[in-house]
Amino acid sequence: MKDEKKISNKINISTTSGSLRVSHSKEAIKASFLDSLFYGIGRIPALITLNDQYTALALTIRDRIFQQFVLTTESISKQDARAVAYLSAEYLPGPHLANNLLNLGVTAQTREAMEELGIELDDLIAIEEEPGLGNGGLGRLASCYLDSLATLGIPAIAYGIRYEFGIFDQMIKDGWQVELTDKWLHYGNPWEVVRPEIAYEVKFGGRTEYGTDSNGKLHVAWIPSSEVKGTAYDTPILGYKGNGAVLRLWRAEAIESFDFAAFNLGDYYHAVEAKMISENITKVLYPNDQAQGGKELRLKQQYFFVTCSLQDIIRLHLFQGRNLVHLHEKFAIQLNDTHPAIAIAELMRLLVDVHQLDWEKAWHITQNCFAYTNHTLLPEALEKWSIPLFERILPRHLELIYEINHRFLEEIRYQYAFDDAQIARMSIIEEGGERYIRMAHLATIGSHSVNGVSAMHSELLKKEVLHDFARLWPDKFCNVTNGITPRRFLYLSNAPLAELISSHIGNGWITDLDQLRKLEPYADDASFQNKWTEIKLNNKQHLAALLQKQTGIEINPAMLFDIQAKRIHEYKRQHLKVLHILSSYLRLKKGELKNFHPSAFIFAGKAAPGYFMAKLIIKLINSVADLINQDTAVNDKMKVVFMPDFNVKNAQNLYPAADLSEQISMAGMEASGTGNMKFSLNGALTIGTLDGANVEILQEVGKDNFFLFGLSVQQVQANKIAGYQPYEIYQQNQNLREVLDFIVSGALSQGDTQLFRPLYENLLYQDPFMLLEDYQSYIDCQEQVHELWREPKEWARKSILNVARMGKFSSDRSIRDYSKLIWNVAPINKKLPVSELNVK
Ligand code: NBG
């Protein structure tokens, strides 16, 4: 310790500014690049591959990011600031290189430096494999939040899992989704740094032993049946022009000490096998949209990353010379959905069993550390673990959960006189039949704050899923509407639009998105409208070229680009979009559709590998695409394309090219949506239902600038109560009937009338997401879309107004809300080496 102090007195980060390794000048970047190429990865010129060049550039940029990161971390530690620890099982950062260049402000000089070496920067950007460590919106939201935390300079550390295989790569074969294993680590990952010394032991299984010490105090020891080690892999995350945060991902490894019993018996291979089993824990990301209940490995993953993160937080806290009883004053720990909810029991275990705090004290700290964000009302997505499984993996935690539950139920029974039915509803343990642990209840009881992710979702959370808790603790509940980072989703992915905006209103919007309001006066300006429309057309050309490369399908950029991009799920209703396409197709063929403008219907999204209906929807889309794209009677008027492998990189090409954004989930189903914001921020008009954040988007942009259709939540509920009869709608609506019957006519499936029957029958007889009820309203609304498309100036005006009014949906605003309402944290003051940042 003493020696470390001596060293840290002599080694000082500020003396490195100006060094070639961190300077932002073109010459320095070029020199560092060559240094990295030869001395960092040891290549000889004759053998340099594109990946070597990419790696060398990534290392060059990483040095500069680390400088910011070290400076930020130093300031945090000096100011003893309260920090956010964000616990999320998923992150979708997207490719790092281009975003880091942009945030560092060195894109132009890097491009020049590379050009001087005969290298095309875009080629290097193109080959980066993105970390697909998440399923969809929830993971991407975590990454947007990390970007904003870093940009705002709020002390933050984001914890997660370093999956060796992230979300699968999607291919389309014969119209079906095919899953390929992800290969993000295949060629190495230059952005991360392994920290072998930041590693923690993780126990599983076994039993507990009770004993008392000399003072008569009860001690519980957990005697595990196996142990693994979690090692930290850090990726520095740079905010816009400045601060850094860290994404710390845990990888499971075998602990050093072999299984000696096996080893001594000469059973070397058995011992090695144990090592392999340990590493399995972080092998693969689980797809969502599937019941996870029985997945032992999934529970192990969750516990694994939670305990490593909490042990790390405690280490950081103690390292600063603080007492554990102040932990909640120094750390705000956010649970991103229930995946990390086991943290409530684990922190209690660490405080009570390991650090010997009293229960009450430990509970006070725990409740004041944690806050919980709910991201879904879907019953199948509300996590619960069967008790026998849970007990086998985490026997001590089961005891702790029983104790937490017991104390909680006593409190509501005696203090609040709740009745038995209420108590059963609120218990952490679900009784009756097989017994389960309800993770959302554990998270709610163990946190000081619970929030939903849009105004509407937060209300529904209070009214439905967590109704009893909201009555008990009204002040515990709040809303933080989701947001997206304008850096990646406008500045980076739509540079021409960003430049047009900046040239008219300055570039303050990049970190203060409300400034986009200054665009409003230009909404009616003909020359501005022309430039706006031209940029959109260029983006559409770019997307069309990409789609042709990916799918072979050619689309005319002059068509109306009508795009739905998100996970494939029945509640999101991609098949409602298909009904509209088929209806247009059939009516066009009959010459009945007069008011229709040439349209390209573009879909993108992955289906969970085990979700049959979602995969059938993909097949349906591709079958419709085959039919229409080959029908010369219509294919100058409509095209259908399914873009394979929706990920952050592909998404960045979709949003800037959309004219129309499809946000058509059944009201009450989509917690928020964030794609809706990304499309709108890039000038697409939205056609959507009153669901999730659509409600707030509509409020912001105004109803004249939004295509609204469909049932409201209240109407959906009333319909359910009245006994929804989709078959009656089918009978009454002739056009709908033709469309549905067409799906099973065999025309889409080489005469096979059975292929799409499961979808057809589901819609006719159950239709849980009320497509048939919303059908006519959707078709009528699409007619309005086409009417407006006839007036390019009006369309451009509304598009500009959409962008101008998107300020609210910046993730900077969301993070400020969290900081104020939930975390009680503030940005640090940091003196940046400004000279470094303002290099031309
Ligand atoms: C998703 C919701 C979206 C929401 C994102 C981010 C899960 C469990 N939920 O509506 O479906 O935008 O979370 O909050 O992935």
Side-chain angles (χ1 to χ4, degrees), residues 137-138 141 337 375-376 453 482 571 670-674:
L138 174 142
L141 185 80
D337 218 330
H375 291 267
T376 182
V453 291
N482 282 348
Y571 87 74
E670 191 69 89
S672 162
T674 44

Side-chain angles (χ1 to χ4, degrees), residues 680-681 683-686 697 701 705-706 797-806:
S680 226
L681 185 61
L685 304 191
T686 304
I697 293 177
V701 306
N705 303 305
F706 188 107
R797 195 179 80 84
K798 289 181 195 285
S799 165
I800 296 165
L801 288 178
N802 260 267
V803 175
R805 295 171 182 178
M806 287 303 290

Side-chain angles (χ1 to χ4, degrees), residues 9 135 153 190 232 237 263 322 345 429 499 605 620 658 675 687 718 828:
N9 285 339
N135 277 285
I237 301 292
F263 198 64
R322 304 166 183 150
I429 311 297
E499 271 155 35
L620 177 66
I687 181 163
I828 48 152

